[in-house]
Amino acid sequence: VEPGAFESDVSQALRGAGYTYARVGRSALADSESADGVLTVGEAAFEALLVTDVPALDPSVLEAIEAAAAAGVPVIWLGEFPERADGLRDLETRDARVESSVSALEPLVAQISGSPDIPVALSDAGVSPTLSPVSSEPLRVSIAHRRLADGDLYYLFNESFEEVTEQLALPPNRTVELFNPDTGARADPTVEADVLTVSLPPARGTILTLR
């Protein structure tokens, strides 16, 4: 299997810009909570919500999205808004709830037409990755990000079958450490003017901490 063979255009756009993301199921989203610009789903907290290609949705899901947007969570909508509820139960009532939520959402969300617009829409909404590529070219490594009590932890992974070197802009005034994910051994980071240069062998990763 070639690297990226089954990766969606949406995933490529997010990964290439350095964003970490997770997919959230519809029922989980319906049970989410939003406050002060943060969407909370279970134990996970998100700075933005991206909705893609949903021709029909349960009204409870749309109402949760509406609540997130009203709480200041940036909502990016790729494609058209749903025109009806899913399923056939109590159809007219549920369709009316969908129509009401869509009317409320339209002025609150950023609607885009294609995956390449996702990073720009997120940036325009004030959502930027903590690690951002220095080059205008898409990142060739994947980044998984988790917050720690005293900083941030990242797993950087080279999904290709050839060595890659990337430069990533770091937040200022951070202590930078690199670790081998297999052995835990420390590596010496190459940092100059808050830019980290990291080289990864084929299909290998490294752990980065910023404190």
Side-chain angles (χ1 to χ4, degrees):
V1 178
E2 291 300 316
F6 302 106
E7 188 177 20
S8 69
D9 293 342
V10 170
S11 175
Q12 290 178 24
L14 289 165
R15 180 179 56 79
Y19 287 98
T20 295
Y21 68 93
R23 293 180 174 87
V24 175
R26 298 184 183 196
S27 60
L29 184 55
D31 292 334
S32 66
E33 297 180 358
S34 299
D36 301 324
V38 176
L39 171 68
T40 303
V41 183
E43 297 298 319
F46 299 96
E47 295 178 274
L49 174 63
L50 171 65
V51 185
T52 63
D53 301 322
V54 281
L57 268 180
D58 188 273
S60 63
V61 179
L62 268 175
E63 287 159 3
I65 297 172
E66 184 182 347
V73 178
V75 178
I76 313 300
W77 201 287
L78 174 59
E80 299 300 322
F81 291 102
E83 297 181 350
R84 59 181 177 84
D86 57 357
L88 297 174
R89 178 179 54 82
D90 197 13
L91 191 59
E92 292 184 2
T93 299
R94 294 170 65 247
D95 279 354
R97 287 172 60 189
V98 167
E99 183 178 356
S100 175
S101 287
V102 167
S103 296
L105 274 171
E106 284 181 318
L108 298 177
V109 308
Q111 189 176 16
I112 58 176
S113 58
S115 300
D117 300 327
I118 293 173
V120 175
L122 287 169
S123 179
D124 289 346
V127 181
S128 300
T130 312
L131 296 179
S132 55
V134 173
S135 169
S136 60
E137 295 296 317
L139 282 178
R140 293 168 294 171
V141 301
S142 295
I143 301 177
H145 176 207
R146 296 294 183 268
R147 296 194 186 280
L148 306 176
D150 59 348
D152 298 270
L153 181 144
Y154 301 87
Y155 182 56
L156 312 180
F157 184 70
N158 174 11
E159 298 198 37
S160 74
F161 294 142
E162 55 188 42
E163 181 173 337
V164 299
T165 299
E166 294 283 10
Q167 288 191 308
L168 300 165
L170 304 175
N173 304 318
R174 300 292 181 98
T175 299
V176 182
E177 294 181 295
L178 290 177
F179 299 89
N180 184 309
D182 298 319
T183 66
R186 294 175 185 266
D188 293 326
T190 302
V191 180
E192 185 175 352
D194 292 323
V195 173
L196 170 70
T197 301
V198 59
S199 296
L200 293 173
R204 304 301 295 173
T206 189
I207 293 173
L208 164 70
T209 62
L210 302 180
R211 302 181 186 275

